[in-house]
Amino acid sequence: MLYTAKGTLNREEQLRKYTPLVRRLAHHMIAKLPPSVELDDLIQVGMIGLTEAIARYEPSQGVQFETFASQRIRGAMIDELRDGDWMSRGSRKSQKEIEQAVHKLQQKLHRAPMESEIAAELGMSLADYQHLLAKVRGTQLVYLEDISGHGDDDDGFLDRHMGGAAEPDPSALLQDQRMRMALVEAIKNLPEREQQIMSMYYEHDMNLKEIAAVLGVTESRICQLHSQSIARLRAKLRDH
């Protein structure tokens, strides 16, 4: 029974029904995070997010519960990761340097730079650059929308629209719409293989291992290309 006699959500039944959703979202997120992050920790925090979603959900809002719960679960996980300072300053610095190199080359070449060109711009070998890409894995939080943050310290899409504000700022919504359009265009300009990876990962909800099997490369290679794709997109979106 999903609802009690009072018309509220049956907490125990909803927890049982949507626990697999928490696990799925945690597995999807962990694929993008450093090995130091424990899956069980994400699941535990996600369950807290699910509990909060059950308590706060109002059917009159016109949003399906699973959609509402997914946002709360992901938000709880992201808050935990941010609060835990889960990424070293060195890795953050490296990610920023990669983005700056990509941005500079895009301006100079008027096309997406090749890996070897990015490596040369950073003054390192291709092998060292690819190793660095794997090292900075996890600099990007879960949402594709979160790529459109307007700086290192700015809130992402979820924080702007799920943070409890009574009404979203119309100017912020317009900015988000522009960002989404810019993001779609930026993805179209990625190298073909990276486009495939982004599509499989974000649109078809495939994990890195599954993508690697489809493309016939190692999972670590997919990880590298995914990190590089995010760096390209962030560099492209700097001017928006």
Side-chain angles (χ1 to χ4, degrees), residues 14-95:
Q14 292 293 87
L15 283 173
R16 183 194 64 78
K17 180 177 180 180
Y18 289 102
T19 292
L21 173 64
V22 174
R23 297 188 65 85
R24 180 167 61 83
L25 293 174
H27 277 280
H28 194 229
M29 184 179 291
I30 202 75
K32 294 167 58 180
L33 297 173
S36 57
V37 181
E38 296 288 339
L39 177 63
D40 288 345
D41 290 342
L42 280 184
I43 292 174
Q44 184 176 7
V45 173
M47 290 301 295
I48 295 173
L50 175 58
T51 301
E52 291 177 351
I54 294 170
R56 297 185 183 189
Y57 178 67
E58 294 288 345
S60 60
Q61 293 176 340
V63 179
Q64 290 186 345
F65 177 74
E66 183 169 342
T67 301
F68 180 81
S70 294
Q71 293 172 325
R72 288 289 174 182
I73 293 165
R74 286 172 171 149
M77 292 176 181
I78 288 175
D79 286 344
E80 177 68 16
L81 292 168
R82 286 172 173 164
D83 291 344
D85 193 21
W86 49 277
M87 187 176 174
S88 71
R89 287 185 179 180
S91 293
R92 291 181 191 273
K93 182 174 180 289
S94 295
Q95 174 66 21

